Amino acid sequence: MLSRVAASFYWLSRYIERSDGILRMLKINYASSQDTIQEFTWEPVIRIFAGLGDDEAQKLENDSRAVLKYMVTGKTNSNSILNIITLARENARSVQEHITKDLWQCLNEYYHTVKDNKLERLLQREDPISALDVLIKQVMLYYGTVEITMERGEGRAFMNIGKYLERAIQSVDILDMKFGSISDNPDLLTDTSYWKHLLLSLGGYELYLKTYREGFEAENVLEQVVLNVDFPRSVIYSVNNIQRYFDRLKNDNNLENYREMSFQIGRLQSRIKYSSVRSIRQEGLHLFLTQIRSELYGIGNALNEYYFANS
């Protein structure tokens, strides 16, 4: 497969996964802002997904409608859903002969839904939750279409590597943000709604209730999001799948690069697999997450160097 084509598959999938994470976080945080208006701030979300500085973040942090507009349809925000889906569509267009017609139509529908003026009216004047749900359903339609129409070849392997790499980075960033906030406000440690919203934003609320009967505790949340191999958005689940789909790229033409990257992924996989909540606490959660994030970015950089020809 041409490096240009592989890179387009990879980035198409990363952009779609990023849009899914942003939409879910916006939905849960908007609902939370309606419950606790006096205490709520959008600042952590803006920092993770928009990369704004302190001054810019403060201008938006308490205005829910302004944040939603900036994060969903904001043309000046490079990480808005509008701009992310535009990039995803451009990557799909460049490999249109390698994807199914159904998938191309699905991406087009997502793109035009985001650009529809009705969406902005829902966000600004009516019910934002309904607007976000419409977009989340578009992501689910995309994943279903990929699953049932795409050939199980190298292209899909690159797509899944991109998806799970983006997902792992998001889970690490959200955990780091949420647990970091506890340092400034220790009362959050026993705040049930705080942990509930975190789990809801990652789609892990129902699994948590089935797994842990003693209520919401920080250590249990940490265990599920980092170490639970059955939770689709846990860090270890994502890294396991990066390894799984990377294994499918092995061939005689790239053995040296394959071995180098396989070692890199396996080292990260073992680092997480043989950690425990206790060992993470002893090491320091922020340090642990920072190192995991660094290694995830290292995998992305290695893919760019070895497989995408620095595209």
Side-chain angles (χ1 to χ4, degrees), residues 116-140:
D116 193 333
N117 291 331
K118 294 178 182 177
L119 181 75
E120 190 152 347
R121 186 172 67 248
L122 279 173
L123 289 171
Q124 294 302 303
R125 300 175 189 173
E126 299 178 32
D127 178 22
I129 297 293
S130 296
L132 296 173
D133 278 338
V134 167
L135 296 179
I136 290 170
K137 287 177 182 177
Q138 288 293 326
V139 179
M140 295 300 98

Side-chain angles (χ1 to χ4, degrees), residues 97-196:
E97 67 274 20
H98 298 280
I99 63 176
T100 62
K101 182 180 179 181
D102 288 334
L103 184 56
W104 172 246
Q105 290 176 338
C106 175
L107 280 165
N108 256 334
E109 183 179 338
Y110 191 0
Y111 171 77
H112 288 296
T113 301
V114 177
K115 287 183 67 69
D116 193 333
N117 291 331
K118 294 178 182 177
L119 181 75
E120 190 152 347
R121 186 172 67 248
L122 279 173
L123 289 171
Q124 294 302 303
R125 300 175 189 173
E126 299 178 32
D127 178 22
I129 297 293
S130 296
L132 296 173
D133 278 338
V134 167
L135 296 179
I136 290 170
K137 287 177 182 177
Q138 288 293 326
V139 179
M140 295 300 98
L141 178 61
Y142 163 85
Y143 283 135
T145 305
V146 169
E147 183 64 27
I148 64 175
T149 68
M150 280 295 292
E151 174 192 356
R152 267 54 176 169
E154 284 189 338
R156 189 167 178 272
F158 280 111
M159 291 175 78
N160 279 304
I161 291 169
K163 176 174 77 171
Y164 287 111
L165 187 63
E166 182 69 32
R167 184 176 295 183
I169 291 170
Q170 283 186 23
S171 294
V172 167
D173 284 343
I174 292 170
L175 264 187
D176 203 16
M177 173 193 74
K178 288 291 188 179
F179 276 86
S181 298
I182 294 173
S183 301
D184 301 322
N185 186 1
D187 291 341
L188 293 175
L189 198 60
T190 56
D191 186 343
T192 298
S193 63
Y194 186 75
W195 301 116
K196 178 181 177 181

Side-chain angles (χ1 to χ4, degrees), residues 3-238:
S3 60
R4 173 189 61 80
V5 175
S8 292
F9 273 124
Y10 169 82
W11 281 107
L12 159 63
S13 194
R14 280 199 68 167
Y15 287 133
I16 295 294
E17 181 66 26
R18 189 176 305 171
S19 76
D20 186 47
I22 292 172
L23 289 167
R24 291 177 184 278
M25 180 63 83
L26 291 176
K27 177 181 175 180
I28 299 306
N29 275 265
Y30 179 79
S32 177
S33 72
Q34 302 307 294
D35 295 335
T36 56
I37 297 175
Q38 299 302 320
E39 304 170 12
F40 184 83
T41 175
W42 284 93
E43 186 262 347
V45 177
I46 296 169
R47 280 182 181 277
I48 289 180
F49 291 113
L52 293 180
D54 292 341
D55 293 338
E56 294 169 304
Q58 286 176 1
K59 293 177 183 178
L60 289 171
E61 63 180 7
N62 294 317
D63 188 340
S64 294
R65 299 276 181 169
V67 170
L68 291 175
K69 181 177 181 180
Y70 183 76
M71 293 300 303
V72 177
T73 60
K75 294 181 180 178
T76 60
N77 174 14
S78 61
N79 225 26
S80 70
I81 300 299
L82 173 62
N83 285 326
I84 289 173
I85 298 311
T86 300
L87 289 171
R89 185 170 177 262
E90 287 174 0
N91 277 281
R93 185 191 296 279
S94 71
V95 293
Q96 196 168 348
E97 67 274 20
H98 298 280
I99 63 176
T100 62
K101 182 180 179 181
D102 288 334
L103 184 56
W104 172 246
Q105 290 176 338
C106 175
L107 280 165
N108 256 334
E109 183 179 338
Y110 191 0
Y111 171 77
H112 288 296
T113 301
V114 177
K115 287 183 67 69
D116 193 333
N117 291 331
K118 294 178 182 177
L119 181 75
E120 190 152 347
R121 186 172 67 248
L122 279 173
L123 289 171
Q124 294 302 303
R125 300 175 189 173
E126 299 178 32
D127 178 22
I129 297 293
S130 296
L132 296 173
D133 278 338
V134 167
L135 296 179
I136 290 170
K137 287 177 182 177
Q138 288 293 326
V139 179
M140 295 300 98
L141 178 61
Y142 163 85
Y143 283 135
T145 305
V146 169
E147 183 64 27
I148 64 175
T149 68
M150 280 295 292
E151 174 192 356
R152 267 54 176 169
E154 284 189 338
R156 189 167 178 272
F158 280 111
M159 291 175 78
N160 279 304
I161 291 169
K163 176 174 77 171
Y164 287 111
L165 187 63
E166 182 69 32
R167 184 176 295 183
I169 291 170
Q170 283 186 23
S171 294
V172 167
D173 284 343
I174 292 170
L175 264 187
D176 203 16
M177 173 193 74
K178 288 291 188 179
F179 276 86
S181 298
I182 294 173
S183 301
D184 301 322
N185 186 1
D187 291 341
L188 293 175
L189 198 60
T190 56
D191 186 343
T192 298
S193 63
Y194 186 75
W195 301 116
K196 178 181 177 181
H197 288 140
L198 185 158
L199 291 164
L200 284 169
S201 66
L202 291 172
Y205 178 63
E206 292 183 11
L207 177 61
Y208 185 93
L209 294 180
K210 294 174 182 176
T211 308
Y212 304 99
R213 303 293 183 181
E214 59 268 38
F216 292 98
E217 295 184 9
E219 290 196 350
N220 292 339
V221 172
L222 176 62
E223 182 178 59
Q224 175 166 315
V225 179
V226 176
L227 304 172
N228 189 329
V229 295
D230 296 320
F231 176 40
R233 291 184 180 271
S234 74
V235 181
I236 187 60
Y237 182 92
S238 296

